[in-house]
Amino acid sequence: MRPPLHILVVNGIKVHRPVFVLGAPHSGTDLLARALKRSPGFHVTMGKSAVAHVVYAFARKPSIIVRNGGDGASRVLRDALAQSWQLGPGTCGECAAACREAGGITGSGPCLPAGPPARFGDASPDLLYSAPALLRAFPDARFVQLIRDGRDTAADMMADPACLAWFRPGMLSEETEFPNPFLGVNKEEHRDRWKDMPAAGKCALRWRSAVRLSAELRRLLPPEQLLTLRYEDLAASPVAAMSSVSDFLQARVSAVPLYGPAARPGTWRARLSATDAGWVEKVARDELGRLGYL
């Protein structure tokens, strides 16, 4: 049974049905965040330090989320989001560059339309791994998750220094917990195998683990709380995709911010070497096939 709903108040505004955008790295969560941030009434944050510290603590030690029934993790995450959502002079100056760009900030901000926000949300990278704590913290939350071809995702990850930083052998310390969904390593005896794997294989493991978590969410959450979008649909038909998001959230979300930024699906063919593409398809073949990418 889910815990009773405790309303969070931020800047005198009740947080009702917050929106969380989930997905593997480079699966399109930043594009959806852009559309939400630039739509009237939404206050959506991305990568604020208060949230990022919590998200990566949970990612390194997944047991934190379920310890003591998950109450502690949920309280910590609620507090981090409450801090992240605070509005005041200079608050946008604390945001990551990606968050400021998504909101169209060119000066001091803030990145909100006139009037107080009606809906709060967060699209921080790797928020997917905190989904159970988010649901416990906000039982009325709405989740939108993005799915993208793992080969395109891997190509973007391999060009992103922030993603590659997680693949250093030292990231698997003696304190690392297994299974570790964040790195996609299921057993401690696979530690050395992971260390010896090329970056393409590690990207594939992260993508594979993320889509498995997304599938689990689809089994757990009712349709009124979870919407799954494909990046390919979002890139090809922004209006139709945002119409689905608008219906799901019962709020108008503009497709205009999506025109231009979305990369064409299938660019992995020109960006991945045959060897790297082979690694991704070997590691994630079952998931690529199940999702129709093979």
Side-chain angles (χ1 to χ4, degrees), residues 51-118:
V51 176
H53 291 325
V54 173
V55 166
Y56 289 120
F58 291 173
R60 289 172 180 274
K61 293 195 173 184
S63 65
I64 297 174
I65 294 180
V66 297
R67 193 176 299 162
N68 299 321
D71 289 338
S74 298
R75 286 195 298 270
V76 169
L77 196 50
R78 278 174 65 90
D79 290 346
L81 285 163
Q83 180 180 341
S84 176
W85 288 332
Q86 289 290 333
L87 289 168
T91 52
C92 280
E94 303 170 5
C95 292
C99 186
R100 292 173 58 81
E101 191 281 330
I105 296 297
T106 56
S108 59
C111 55
L112 285 172

Side-chain angles (χ1 to χ4, degrees), residues 64-255:
I64 297 174
I65 294 180
V66 297
R67 193 176 299 162
N68 299 321
D71 289 338
S74 298
R75 286 195 298 270
V76 169
L77 196 50
R78 278 174 65 90
D79 290 346
L81 285 163
Q83 180 180 341
S84 176
W85 288 332
Q86 289 290 333
L87 289 168
T91 52
C92 280
E94 303 170 5
C95 292
C99 186
R100 292 173 58 81
E101 191 281 330
I105 296 297
T106 56
S108 59
C111 55
L112 285 172
R119 297 285 290 274
F120 292 83
D122 194 87
S124 293
D126 301 313
L127 199 62
L128 173 64
Y129 305 97
S130 298
L134 285 170
L135 183 60
R136 189 170 182 85
F138 302 98
D140 66 339
R142 298 297 184 263
F143 298 89
V144 184
Q145 60 184 14
L146 277 294
I147 302 295
R148 186 186 185 191
D149 188 327
R151 295 163 296 187
D152 277 328
T153 301
D156 277 351
M157 291 175 69
M158 291 178 67
D160 182 354
C163 284
L164 293 178
W166 290 103
F167 298 151
R168 296 168 184 159
M171 292 306 298
L172 279 188
S173 66
E174 294 302 319
E175 292 77 29
T176 301
E177 294 181 347
F178 299 93
N180 191 283
F182 179 74
L183 295 176
V185 182
N186 294 326
K187 299 179 181 179
E188 186 169 5
E189 52 262 37
H190 295 164
R191 179 194 301 266
D192 291 337
R193 188 186 306 175
W194 180 88
K195 290 181 178 180
D196 293 337
M197 187 175 285
K202 293 175 181 177
C203 289
L205 284 174
R206 283 207 65 190
W207 180 83
R208 184 181 73 177
S209 179
V211 298
R212 287 177 177 177
L213 289 175
S214 295
E216 182 65 18
L217 281 179
R218 292 188 68 177
R219 287 190 289 269
L220 293 177
L221 292 176
E224 63 268 21
Q225 280 196 273
L226 177 68
L227 175 67
T228 302
L229 291 177
R230 285 184 183 253
Y231 174 94
E232 293 78 13
D233 294 335
L234 185 148
S237 304
V239 172
M242 290 307 98
S243 178
S244 297
V245 174
S246 297
D247 290 344
F248 173 67
L249 298 178
Q250 298 180 327
R252 181 179 175 275
V253 181
S254 174

Side-chain angles (χ1 to χ4, degrees), residues 23-36:
H26 294 286
S27 60
T29 57
D30 58 326
L31 294 177
L32 182 54
R34 170 191 290 261
L36 290 171

